[in-house]
Amino acid sequence: MPEAYIVDAVRTAVGKRGGALSTVHPADLGATVIRAIIERNGIDAAKVDDVVFGCVDAIGPQAGNIARTAWLAAGLPEEVPGVTVDRQCGSSQQAIHVAAQAIMSGTADLVVAGGVQNMSQIPIAAAMLVGQQYGFQTPTAGSKGWEARYGDQEVSQFRGAEMIAEKWDISREDMERWALRSHQRARAAIDGGRFDKQIVPVGDYTTDEGPRETSLEKMASLKPLSPEGRLTAAVASQISDGASATLLASERALAEHDLVPRARIHHLSARGADPIFMLSAPIPATEYALAKSGLSIDDMDVIEINEAFAPVVLAWLKETGADPERVNVNGGAIALGHPLGATGAKLFASLLAELERTGGRYGLLTICEGGGTANATIIERLDH
């Protein structure tokens, strides 16, 4: 089977809600990372076979196939197509999978994959809010098959996170300690210039806005999201804006465009779990990926698991036995933000850069997703 190689991975700095990127059109955010990855690698844009972008709540400025719109907004050749995918929070990780699968199947040689989200302009669940205008209150209400299986119980990420905290006996204090670590690690990474190679500027904006000075005392003063719950805003991912892009190539494209690969795709898959718990699927997804690849969790030198909520990561750590010192070493979404459709390829860029910084061989990326699914990607850094 042909190999899929990673040539480059870039992202914008992540803007907080109402922050530096809040007024930038999503197509222009996407165009920024697409243009950068083409120019950084000196390739003929007309030779790109496809553009695959992730995006959630694809309405308004994110509607109409944002992958295609962003490519054209970048001023690039009209003959190159684009397609937008939605696997909720893992959408741009899935975009990378689609790109890699096309290369591994032999049907494509050069693909740009990534994602974009402006949550300041289009709030989370905006697509469902629009659906309510047509008489649909939730995605599942009125489905006889769904109600026969799951009833009419609440389906939400907040409830799922609370259920995970309860099932895996994760205290509020445990979650707040992880959240504090996320901010501390993110600030250290920014101060140490660890993100500099992967971030492309949007105007003058080059620094993630999310990380902040906080403390366990400050977190303890916050009210829980529900009266009897353990979750607070401090242990949840931030609402954010941003874009990300990855360049994947076949061996033939590497030779044709004189490209040097930084890593290769070692494994890619996705698994599902209970949609009511919703956010626990990284556990079976990781187990499946390791079994299929013949690797162990200890073989993973760097791990990125999206911090949608702190209990997602802490439950996953308990089940997998992963070393916390290898997990989200430069902070996670609690500190750095979670621009939904862009997060997968954003974390991919961080994973790749950290493998290179530390000299590690294998890296794992997994993300919990709405509907109770999760993607898992294992990459292998290449020595030259």
Side-chain angles (χ1 to χ4, degrees):
M1 179 184 295
E3 298 272 18
Y5 294 96
I6 302 110
V7 177
D8 204 0
V10 302
R11 67 177 181 93
T12 66
V14 175
K16 63 184 179 181
R17 179 170 54 180
L21 299 183
S22 61
T23 61
V24 182
H25 195 289
D28 294 326
L29 281 178
T32 298
V33 291
I34 289 172
R35 190 184 302 110
I37 211 161
I38 297 294
E39 292 176 351
R40 275 170 49 139
N41 294 282
I43 61 174
D44 179 356
K47 297 296 181 68
V48 172
D49 292 301
D50 208 352
V51 180
V52 188
F53 253 43
C55 188
V56 185
D57 292 315
I59 62 173
Q62 295 174 168
N65 191 359
I66 191 68
R68 171 71 170 162
T69 310
W71 177 268
L72 296 177
L76 298 171
E78 292 179 341
E79 60 265 33
V80 176
V83 62
T84 302
V85 299
D86 179 357
R87 203 194 283 270
Q88 298 294 280
C89 297
S91 293
S92 56
Q93 185 179 7
Q94 180 61 43
I96 292 171
H97 284 204
V98 171
Q101 288 163 340
I103 291 169
M104 294 163 75
S105 72
T107 58
D109 288 301
L110 200 61
V111 184
V112 173
V116 63
Q117 202 83 35
N118 190 316
M119 299 177 75
S120 294
Q121 295 180 12
I122 303 295
I124 188 170
M128 195 59 245
L129 295 176
V130 172
Q132 290 174 1
Q133 299 177 20
Y134 298 93
F136 300 93
Q137 295 305 306
T138 73
T140 56
S143 166
K144 294 179 181 179
W146 177 276
E147 291 176 358
R149 188 167 187 178
Y150 298 108
D152 61 355
Q153 61 183 307
E154 177 190 351
V155 182
S156 77
Q157 58 179 331
F158 303 105
R159 183 184 182 212
E162 287 282 11
M163 292 172 68
I164 289 170
E166 182 177 351
K167 178 177 178 178
W168 275 274
D169 191 25
I170 300 166
S171 69
R172 174 171 170 170
E173 292 74 18
D174 292 335
M175 293 187 279
E176 289 171 346
R177 279 191 290 270
W178 184 267
L180 180 62
R181 175 185 288 194
S182 184
H183 283 284
Q184 291 171 336
R185 288 177 168 183
R187 294 199 312 274
I190 291 170
D191 293 343
R194 294 186 187 180
F195 299 141
D196 292 354
K197 184 178 179 180
Q198 63 194 253
I199 291 179
V200 298
V202 182
D204 296 327
Y205 177 56
T206 58
T207 305
D208 296 304
E209 288 184 319
R212 57 183 178 268
E213 292 284 351
T214 188
S215 66
L216 294 176
E217 291 73 24
K218 289 180 181 178
M219 293 182 188
S221 69
L222 298 178
K223 291 183 179 180
L225 299 178
S226 61
E228 303 301 321
R230 310 180 191 191
L231 296 178
T232 69
V235 303
S237 57
Q238 297 185 37
I239 294 171
S240 310
D241 311 319
S244 53
T246 306
L247 181 63
L248 294 97
S250 67
E251 190 168 355
R252 178 167 55 189
L254 294 177
E256 179 181 345
H257 299 277
D258 194 25
L259 299 169
V260 178
R262 296 167 63 184
R264 73 178 185 93
I265 298 290
H266 186 83
H267 172 84
L268 46 84
S269 59
R271 303 304 292 166
D274 187 333
I276 307 302
F277 274 82
M278 189 180 291
L279 309 176
S280 62
I283 295 169
T286 299
E287 180 182 9
Y288 181 84
L290 294 174
K292 292 284 284 187
S293 66
L295 298 170
S296 74
I297 195 68
D298 292 332
D299 290 320
M300 300 299 110
D301 298 296
V302 182
I303 299 168
E304 291 280 355
I305 172 172
N306 191 42
E307 293 175 356
F309 295 88
V312 173
V313 182
L314 295 174
W316 179 90
L317 283 167
K318 285 189 174 186
E319 290 291 334
T320 63
D323 180 356
E325 296 306 312
R326 301 184 186 186
V327 177
N328 298 359
V329 297
N330 294 314
I334 290 172
L336 292 163
H338 178 20
L340 302 181
T343 292
K346 169 196 174 295
L347 295 182
F348 194 88
S350 296
L351 181 71
L352 178 59
E354 186 63 16
L355 280 174
E356 292 175 334
R357 187 185 75 84
T358 59
R361 181 178 181 184
Y362 291 113
L364 169 69
L365 168 62
T366 187
I367 296 179
C368 59
E369 301 153 350
T373 65
N375 284 65
T377 315
I378 298 173
I379 63 172
E380 182 181 9
R381 184 183 65 85
L382 298 177
D383 285 318
H384 299 289

